[in-house]
């Protein structure tokens, strides 16, 4: 696999940004007392019951916990895909509740990359077209967007597959297209739901090195939901969730030893 190692990617990312600034102060993500429910009446489910979570700039935070404990709901609130019920939540100092829907859509498009658990690739678009979607949404022309997408696909080991449709790719290859799509517009926050679940150990580690390289830039952050203990060592911090709250935040060696 032709991949960019972490430091190179971070440097390339920094150099390509004309608005490079000194290290920001404050937190990349700040959640305090966040609650969220689904449904009503007898069907009401409290998915988040008061989440506190802080993610520093340049940090890779993993989120672990049993199925149904609220991980996907929490990252959806952080990414601005779902509205919280109560509590505080800001990302790079921006609270979605204080800006209009239009501003939020634009801000999210520029600043967030999301890897969905089910990949959510568009079946009629090629791998490169799928990965180019965030750039095209931001107004970049089709030709240059697809060209940039092909470069990122090569970095996740999919050189030569850019013209394939999702149905012509394995689960692991589709997962890497979804990861390329989350990276292509160089977002400041990347949020991933089980990004290595369909990858073998070697490919999973390569993808993690690439993702980690992106997050190590000092104005960025990365949140990864995972069950995959093989990648815990890539985390700076691991937050454990249980029944709608974060119960513990620890360094990875505290969990694996
Ligand atoms: N769209 C939804 N409608 C109703 N209940 C939901 C929905 N999404 C998630 N839930 C419920 O909310 C709780 C948390 O779900 P989720 O955030 O998906 O957990 P996890 O990602 O940790 O498995 C679970 O009880 C789940 O069944
Ligand atoms: Mg989930």
């Amino acid at each position: 696999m032709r991949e960019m190692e972490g430091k190179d990617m971070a440097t390339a990312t920094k150099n390509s940004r004309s608005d490079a600034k000194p290290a920001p102060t404050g937190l990349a993500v700040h959640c305090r007392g966040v609650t969220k429910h689904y449904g009503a009446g007898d069907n009401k489910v409290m998915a988040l019951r008061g989440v506190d979570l802080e993610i520093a700039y340049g940090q890779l935070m993993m989120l672990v916990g049993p199925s149904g404990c609220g991980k996907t709901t929490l990252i959806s609130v952080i990414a601005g895909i779902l509205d919280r019920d109560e509590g505080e939540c800001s990302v790079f100092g921006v609270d979605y509740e204080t800006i209009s829907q239009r501003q939020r859509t634009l801000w999210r498009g520029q600043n967030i990359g999301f890897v969905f658990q089910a990949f959510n690739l568009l079946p009629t678009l090629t791998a490169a077209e799928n990965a180019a979607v965030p750039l095209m949404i931001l107004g970049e022309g089709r030709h240059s967007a697809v060209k940039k997408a092909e470069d990122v696909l090569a970095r996740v080991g999919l050189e030569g597959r850019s013209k394939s449709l999702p149905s012509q790719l394995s689960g692991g290859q589709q997962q890497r297209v979804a990861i390329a799509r989350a990276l292509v517009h160089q977002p400041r926050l990347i949020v991933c739901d089980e990004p290595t679940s369909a990858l073998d150990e070697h490919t999973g580690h390569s993808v993690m090195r690439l993702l980690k390289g992106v997050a190590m830039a000092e104005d960025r952050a990365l949140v990864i939901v995972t069950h995959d203990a093989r990648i815990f060592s890539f985390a700076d911090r691991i937050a454990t969730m249980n029944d709608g709250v974060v119960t513990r935040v620890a360094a990875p060696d505290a969990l694996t030893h």
Side-chain angles (χ1 to χ4, degrees):
M1 177 187 299
R2 185 165 76 79
E3 69 183 58
M4 235 182 199
E5 287 299 332
K7 243 170 65 202
D8 300 338
M9 181 73 185
T11 311
T13 306
K14 254 189 241 163
N15 291 346
S16 65
R17 290 175 69 84
S18 53
D19 57 346
K21 295 185 194 98
T25 54
L27 290 165
V29 177
H30 177 259
C31 296
R32 180 78 54 220
V34 171
T35 63
K36 175 71 189 172
H37 78 281
Y38 296 103
D42 287 348
N43 294 324
K44 184 170 175 178
V45 175
M46 283 304 294
L48 302 179
R49 299 171 180 270
V51 169
D52 297 338
L53 185 67
E54 295 183 349
I55 304 175
Y57 282 96
Q59 197 170 62
L60 194 169
M61 175 70 77
M62 282 187 192
L63 206 51
V64 300
S67 183
C69 71
K71 304 180 297 295
T72 297
T73 305
L74 177 58
I75 60 170
S76 301
V77 169
I78 289 172
I81 293 167
L82 284 177
D83 287 327
R84 64 188 186 266
D85 294 340
E86 293 166 329
E88 299 163 26
C89 183
S90 61
V91 178
F92 304 126
V94 173
D95 175 351
Y96 302 119
E97 285 200 352
T98 65
I99 58 179
S100 68
Q101 271 302 332
R102 210 172 142 266
Q103 286 173 314
R104 188 206 290 208
T105 304
L106 179 66
W107 192 89
R108 231 176 47 203
Q110 289 169 332
N111 291 284
I112 310 267
F114 202 104
V115 180
F116 295 90
Q117 195 163 12
F119 315 151
N120 291 8
L121 301 178
L122 296 166
T124 57
L125 299 185
T126 65
E129 288 165 345
N130 264 291
V133 162
L135 290 173
M136 291 196 272
I137 287 174
L138 293 172
E140 182 143 352
R142 189 181 176 286
H143 184 76
S144 90
V146 169
K147 177 89 192 51
K148 286 182 187 169
E150 285 170 353
D151 290 345
V152 184
L153 286 174
R155 273 189 238 140
V156 296
L158 288 180
E159 214 162 12
R161 301 312 303 263
S162 60
K163 293 196 168 56
S164 303
L165 294 171
S167 59
Q168 297 166 325
L169 299 171
S170 70
Q173 289 169 331
Q174 291 179 42
Q175 190 157 38
R176 281 179 279 159
V177 176
I179 290 164
R181 181 180 54 190
L183 295 173
V184 74
H185 53 308
Q186 301 187 356
R188 293 165 70 198
L189 178 68
I190 298 173
V191 182
C192 309
D193 211 348
E194 302 273 358
T196 61
S197 60
L199 305 181
D200 62 62
E201 183 158 7
H202 173 76
T203 312
H205 278 206
S206 297
V207 162
M208 284 307 304
R209 279 196 292 276
L210 180 68
L211 286 170
K212 179 129 190 172
V214 173
M216 288 313 288
E218 59 200 6
D219 61 344
R220 285 157 198 251
L222 181 49
V223 188
I224 296 181
V225 170
T226 190
H227 284 108
D228 186 355
R230 298 174 307 183
I231 65 169
F232 283 174
S233 61
F234 286 94
D236 296 305
R237 289 280 183 282
I238 299 182
T240 305
M241 281 188 81
N242 202 6
D243 199 16
V245 292
V246 170
T247 53
R248 180 184 189 203
V249 180
D253 50 1
L255 287 189
T256 48
H257 296 301

